[in-house]
Amino acid sequence: MAIDRERLLSLPIPDTAQRYVHRDTLLYAISLGYGSDPLDARQLRFAYEGELCAVPTMGVVLAHPGFWPQLLDTGLDWVRIVHAEQGLVLHKPLPVQADVIGKSRVVSVIDKGAGKGAFITYERRIFERDTGDPLCTITQTMLARGDGGFGGPAEPVPSPPAIPERTPDLSCEMPTADNMALLYRLNGDWNSLHADPAVARKAGFERPILHGLATWGVAAHAVIRAALDYQAERVASIFGRFTSPVFPGETLRTEMWRESKAIAFRVWATERNVLAINNGRIELRE
């Protein structure tokens, strides 16, 4: 059955409320490898409650509405959906604990044609409950591989940031644990594609894949580590385009290019020499 574009654009995704505490902030950081060297005081800022700081990429898991293409009556072939792009704008550094509200909406549905899928972008804005102050804005684009050809407008997908045509200025390799997807999903993304081998095979993968947001978070960790010396408060926004799935246990190599007020990056799964994230960019605060 063809999906209904107008119905998706007006889909009422329920607001989500969350009270997160130090434990949640610690869990998120540790699920991405912060604290892997427990003697590194720079990492312990994020993995130990002594003088705890929130990892900036944690914004993408706050007040998460769950995997709404499956949970709501969308008509989407949710098993075949994969993560395409991810953006995050931080309006200020995240507090280590807060009561927050997430307001989500579908902002774009682009038909790529029969057999080519559809790009669906949704936005989630996170506010502090008591003050109403905005904390961050998340944009996520999904490729619904089984839902192209519904007759919608074939709009062009916005061009992503370009990668410089020169040798990278920095490179950082980070391993991922074999059970990383099982740990990362405790942050609130319960999509069974990342845990159940039978669901993964049905989706066309040999085994469960790592969450795109986990790969994206490891990439940002690499930039914060290698380019910013763990001065995570300098991160103002993050963007990346997913180009290939990653399997838990693979090593991720993040290549970086310094620019005047940003770091461009891309990520390789080294064992397969596969480009996992391209067109990455982290904008920096002064």
Side-chain angles (χ1 to χ4, degrees):
M1 180 183 296
I3 61 174
D4 185 329
R5 178 177 181 269
E6 296 305 319
R7 179 185 175 192
L8 283 175
L9 288 172
S10 61
L11 182 72
I13 303 176
D15 290 352
T16 46
Q18 179 185 5
R19 180 176 186 269
Y20 72 92
V21 296
H22 290 80
R23 180 186 179 93
D24 303 299
T25 302
L26 289 165
L27 171 63
Y28 178 81
I30 292 169
S31 75
L32 291 179
Y34 291 86
S36 57
D37 181 353
L39 299 182
D40 185 345
R42 302 172 305 163
Q43 295 187 45
L44 286 180
R45 295 178 59 217
F46 308 97
Y48 170 62
E49 66 276 12
E51 296 181 2
L52 185 61
C53 298
V55 174
T57 53
M58 187 177 71
V60 298
V61 303
L62 296 181
H64 199 290
F67 189 49
W68 57 265
Q70 176 187 6
L71 298 174
L72 303 180
D73 184 14
T74 62
L76 293 168
D77 183 0
W78 63 267
V79 171
R80 299 188 62 195
I81 287 177
V82 294
H83 208 149
E85 294 180 345
Q86 182 68 43
L88 169 69
V89 175
L90 293 150
H91 304 301
K92 62 180 181 180
L94 299 176
V96 297
Q97 61 180 19
D99 287 302
V100 296
I101 298 291
K103 296 182 176 294
S104 301
R105 66 188 183 102
V106 177
V107 297
S108 175
V109 181
I110 298 176
D111 188 359
K112 299 300 292 180
K116 297 181 180 180
F119 282 110
I120 300 170
T121 300
Y122 91 97
E123 172 192 86
R124 184 166 86 258
R125 295 175 295 152
I126 306 296
F127 302 88
E128 291 190 87
R129 182 201 292 268
D130 294 337
T131 64
D133 290 344
L135 284 180
C136 58
T137 300
I138 300 108
T139 54
Q140 178 174 320
T141 299
M142 303 173 288
L143 174 59
R145 295 180 295 162
D147 294 295
F150 58 85
E155 303 170 8
V157 178
S159 298
I163 292 292
E165 296 183 1
R166 68 174 194 270
T167 302
D169 300 315
L170 297 166
S171 180
C172 179
E173 287 196 355
M174 287 191 166
T176 64
D178 290 336
N179 65 348
M180 187 175 191
L182 296 177
L183 180 60
Y184 185 85
R185 69 195 303 266
L186 300 181
N187 293 306
D189 187 340
W190 301 101
N191 185 349
S192 52
L193 175 64
H194 307 292
D196 189 329
V199 172
R201 287 192 294 270
K202 186 176 180 181
F205 300 105
E206 62 186 56
R207 55 193 172 99
I209 61 175
L210 190 60
H211 300 72
L213 285 180
T215 303
W216 186 82
V218 171
H221 181 186
V223 174
I224 290 169
R225 176 179 182 172
L228 303 180
D229 194 30
Y230 281 104
Q231 297 177 54
E233 63 276 7
R234 295 190 59 198
V235 175
S237 68
I238 311 168
F239 174 86
R241 171 174 282 186
F242 300 98
T243 52
S244 181
V246 168
F247 295 100
E250 293 187 313
T251 301
L252 299 178
R253 184 179 74 252
T254 302
E255 299 173 336
M256 297 161 248
W257 292 261
R258 295 186 187 274
E259 300 184 354
S260 60
K261 297 181 181 179
I263 305 292
F265 69 90
R266 66 185 176 198
V267 183
W268 298 85
T270 62
E271 288 83 356
R272 293 178 292 132
N273 194 33
V274 168
L275 185 63
I277 296 179
N278 201 6
N279 306 105
R281 187 173 182 84
I282 291 184
E283 299 282 349
L284 302 176
R285 303 184 192 281
E286 294 291 345

